[in-house]
Amino acid sequence: MNQAFAIVLGAVCGVIGAIPSAVLFERANKRGTNHSVSVGAGLATTLVSFLLLSAAIYVAHLRARAYEASFGIATVVAFLVVWGVESIRGLRAVQGSASPGGKDE
């Protein structure tokens, strides 16, 4: 395994680790459908994300110690990029029609 492959694989794992919570967030973000979203579901998706990311970093530790840091950093960066995008989407959904076209009236 080389460093570029470790970085790409880490980024993929970071995105996969963010998917469970992001799907729940998107369900909560849709108007009128947040009845299926609960604190328990949020905790479950957080636990699933944590376990997936922890397992991925542990496997990287066992299989490619030389590239463990590159893999881990790429994983965290990809995870945070997904949540950065989701936070912007959430902010836009909250603002919605209050500021059409991005201009305050």
Side-chain angles (χ1 to χ4, degrees):
M1 176 188 292
N2 61 16
Q3 188 169 10
F5 184 69
I7 291 170
V8 169
L9 193 58
V12 169
C13 288
V15 170
I16 290 171
I19 286 175
S21 297
V23 167
L24 187 67
F25 181 77
E26 287 296 327
R27 269 199 296 169
N29 224 6
K30 291 184 180 176
R31 300 209 188 282
T33 60
N34 60 359
H35 65 284
S36 64
V37 177
S38 67
V39 172
L43 290 173
T45 60
T46 301
L47 182 63
V48 168
S49 289
F50 174 75
L51 292 175
L52 284 172
L53 294 173
S54 295
I57 291 175
Y58 183 66
V59 168
H61 172 73
L62 293 177
R63 302 287 305 210
R65 269 196 195 168
Y67 304 113
E68 179 183 9
S70 299
F71 179 87
I73 291 168
T75 302
V76 170
V77 167
F79 182 84
L80 293 176
V81 164
V82 168
W83 277 106
V85 170
E86 288 296 326
S87 67
I88 291 169
R89 289 174 52 86
L91 180 65
R92 287 187 179 167
V94 167
Q95 289 177 343
S97 62
S99 58
K103 297 181 181 177
D104 292 332
E105 293 183 27

